[in-house]
Amino acid sequence: MLSRLSAGAAVAASLLLTGSASPTTAAGFGDEPPTGKITITVATVNGSGCRPGSAAVAIAPDNTAFTVTYSEYLAQAGAGTKPTDSRKNCQIALNVHVPQGFTYAIARADYRGYASLARGARGLEQAGYYFQGQAQTARKSHTFVGAYDANWQTSDETDVDALVYAPCGEERYFNINTEMRVDAKSSDPKSTSYMAMDSTDGSINTVYHFAWKECPARK
């Protein structure tokens, strides 16, 4: 395996233990964040890119965002790889507890990682999310073209009038569905290309920015 890949995996493993969320919020969305305690736990993890125990969650201190960190999420193609290595996916269900009287939506999602794509190869990242019992948001896709050897970042933002809030007073899992693909295409057959949901410089990978709303008072 490439030495850079090993470094990326090591960084991801350290993030799994020490990751914390960015305090940056998606400006202009919703009410002020609640000051009460928020807890998020991983309920279930399924997919070829995230076996159980390979994902962790952290909350921003100001309740504006949370991060999900993966330690084994990597797709690769080319020399020394198997066909099943080229597509990886992960569906993670989160149990989110918010202060009474508040509900939330996701205003923006920032996905980060590292990619090493040989000239002629392509990489794809796409994601969607939904609350238990509701329809999934449209999956947004981002393509990367080799030659490429650097950190990558994508952002999916939702218009304020299209925000989907969790039902007030109900506990429903928040489901995140992501996918990465790598296609060797016309690249040198001796080369190996990969795309990982982590970063060699230690930056946090995926950040989900809350939009908060106060629930109507019960009569």
Side-chain angles (χ1 to χ4, degrees):
M1 190 59 60
L2 300 175
S3 58
R4 187 179 295 274
L5 176 57
S6 299
V11 170
S14 66
L15 286 173
L16 186 64
L17 300 175
T18 62
S20 60
S22 163
T24 304
T25 186
F29 289 95
D31 299 335
E32 288 296 313
T35 57
K37 183 177 177 60
I38 299 171
T39 62
I40 302 180
T41 56
V42 178
T44 60
V45 173
N46 293 291
S48 56
C50 57
R51 65 180 178 82
S54 67
V57 183
I59 307 290
D62 59 0
N63 291 344
T64 60
F66 70 92
T67 64
V68 179
T69 302
Y70 304 94
S71 64
E72 300 178 357
Y73 203 166
L74 179 143
Q76 56 184 336
T81 68
K82 303 186 296 292
T84 53
D85 294 336
S86 64
R87 177 187 177 274
K88 298 293 181 179
N89 74 297
C90 180
Q91 180 158 323
I92 181 170
L94 302 177
N95 198 357
V96 182
H97 295 277
V98 303
Q100 188 173 2
F102 285 86
T103 184
Y104 70 94
I106 300 300
R108 191 176 79 228
D110 300 328
Y111 299 91
R112 302 179 186 177
Y114 195 91
S116 179
L117 304 173
R119 186 174 302 278
R122 287 181 179 267
L124 171 79
E125 175 270 324
Q126 63 179 357
Y129 55 83
Y130 61 98
F131 293 105
Q132 182 182 5
Q134 296 180 338
Q136 180 174 285
T137 61
R139 290 169 66 87
K140 298 181 180 180
S141 301
H142 304 272
T143 301
F144 299 83
V145 179
Y148 188 102
D149 190 16
N151 292 327
W152 60 266
Q153 178 172 338
T154 64
S155 293
D156 298 337
E157 190 163 327
T158 303
D159 293 336
V160 64
D161 58 353
L163 291 173
V164 178
Y165 286 86
C168 283
E170 299 182 21
E171 289 192 2
R172 297 192 183 185
Y173 288 156
F174 177 65
N175 297 280
I176 301 168
N177 196 352
T178 58
E179 180 181 346
M180 287 192 303
R181 298 183 187 180
V182 174
D183 190 341
K185 286 191 167 292
S186 61
S187 61
D188 186 337
K190 296 180 181 178
S191 65
T192 302
S193 297
Y194 70 86
M195 190 168 180
M197 195 83 82
D198 64 61
S199 173
T200 58
D201 66 2
S203 58
I204 297 300
N205 38 12
T206 60
V207 184
Y208 295 87
H209 301 265
F210 287 120
W212 291 101
K213 184 169 69 174
E214 291 193 47
C215 294
R218 293 185 178 181
K219 298 181 179 180

